[in-house]
Amino acid sequence: MSSNGGAIKAVIYDCDGVMFDSFEANLAFYQRIMEMMGRPGLSRDNEEQMRILHTYANREVLAYFFPSPGDWEEAVRCAGAIDYRELVPLMIMEEGFREALDTLKGRVGLGVCTNRSTSMDMVLRSFSLDSYFSIVMTASRVTNPKPHPEPLLKVLEHFGIDPREALFVGDSEVDRLSAKAAGVPFVAYKAPLPAAYRMEHHREIMDFLG
């Protein structure tokens, strides 16, 4: 249901932390960049670094670690040289996610809205998830990635629906702010964030849809 009494017509998912536990893959990706750049490795104990590399778009993460324009450009080149297929085995699909998609498919539109850039399509193919989603919006397909509303607004435009006719399932403040700016009800997955709804397991999405 939605606040205006109409039916939910689309469910939109963030990737990292929602569809997958991808912490180890993301950390390995940026550790490789640090090594290629001759920098010290990242510390798992640095909560701010771990939060940033897990929630922001690639170029923004690199700008955080490499504020000098010259270093940033070199880091972007290093990132582009990494074959993310080598890191996919470190990703773990969240329990019950595929089953939730099987239940939702045909009932609502399904989309992805992520701050990943070029790796998302390959990840979906690797886990045989690509057939579920009619739109995959990434940071490389927008001018302004999350927390800007542009990615979600593009997904809404694809489905031809109003913001209140969708749900956005995310796990970070970046996701919440993007949903708020776009006017889309936010579902917090395994996260203590202000939200229209919170869930700890993907099967719970049906409870909210009724």
Side-chain angles (χ1 to χ4, degrees):
M1 69 183 70
S2 68
S3 64
N4 62 8
I8 293 297
K9 297 178 180 177
V11 177
I12 308 160
Y13 288 95
D14 174 46
C15 175
D16 299 291
V18 175
M19 297 165 61
F20 302 97
D21 177 349
S22 50
F23 179 83
E24 294 299 333
N26 287 344
L27 179 57
F29 177 77
Y30 289 104
Q31 293 286 35
R32 289 191 183 188
I33 294 172
M34 291 296 173
E35 183 178 351
M36 295 164 80
M37 293 290 291
R39 299 292 182 88
L42 301 173
S43 171
R44 293 173 181 269
D45 297 330
N46 189 317
E47 293 183 5
E48 182 65 4
Q49 286 186 355
M50 296 303 103
R51 181 186 71 82
I52 286 172
L53 70 83
H54 198 62
T55 56
Y56 284 90
N58 175 259
R59 287 173 173 249
E60 294 174 331
V61 176
L62 294 178
Y64 173 82
F65 289 121
F66 303 100
S68 165
D71 289 344
W72 178 83
E73 290 177 4
E74 180 60 25
V76 169
R77 282 193 288 271
C78 289
I82 296 172
D83 186 349
Y84 204 90
R85 286 174 294 184
E86 298 174 4
L87 304 178
V88 167
L90 296 175
M91 299 179 70
I92 303 169
M93 192 187 306
E94 285 289 304
E95 181 184 354
F97 182 59
R98 189 186 302 277
E99 291 77 8
L101 294 180
D102 284 332
T103 302
L104 292 171
K105 189 174 183 180
R107 300 187 184 193
V108 294
L110 293 169
V112 176
C113 186
T114 177
N115 269 348
R116 280 182 177 267
S117 52
T118 56
S119 63
M120 191 66 233
D121 291 335
M122 180 270 296
V123 167
L124 290 176
R125 288 193 300 271
S126 297
F127 285 91
S128 299
L129 292 175
D130 48 315
S131 64
Y132 289 98
F133 301 102
S134 65
I135 182 167
V136 178
M137 190 56 56
T138 68
S140 62
R141 293 168 181 158
V142 295
T143 303
N144 305 289
K146 297 181 296 183
H148 196 279
E150 182 187 348
L152 278 175
L153 293 175
K154 282 183 175 291
V155 176
L156 296 176
E157 182 180 359
H158 166 81
F159 288 119
I161 60 176
D162 293 330
R164 306 301 298 183
E165 294 177 317
L167 295 177
F168 180 45
V169 185
D171 70 317
S172 71
E173 181 69 0
V174 167
D175 295 327
R176 186 188 74 81
L177 290 173
S178 183
K180 181 179 180 181
V184 175
F186 179 59
V187 180
Y189 179 72
K190 293 185 177 180
L193 295 168
Y197 188 67
R198 294 195 184 106
M199 64 182 188
E200 294 296 317
H201 192 285
H202 279 290
R203 63 172 172 262
E204 296 175 57
I205 192 73
M206 292 309 298
D207 296 336
F208 190 52
L209 291 175

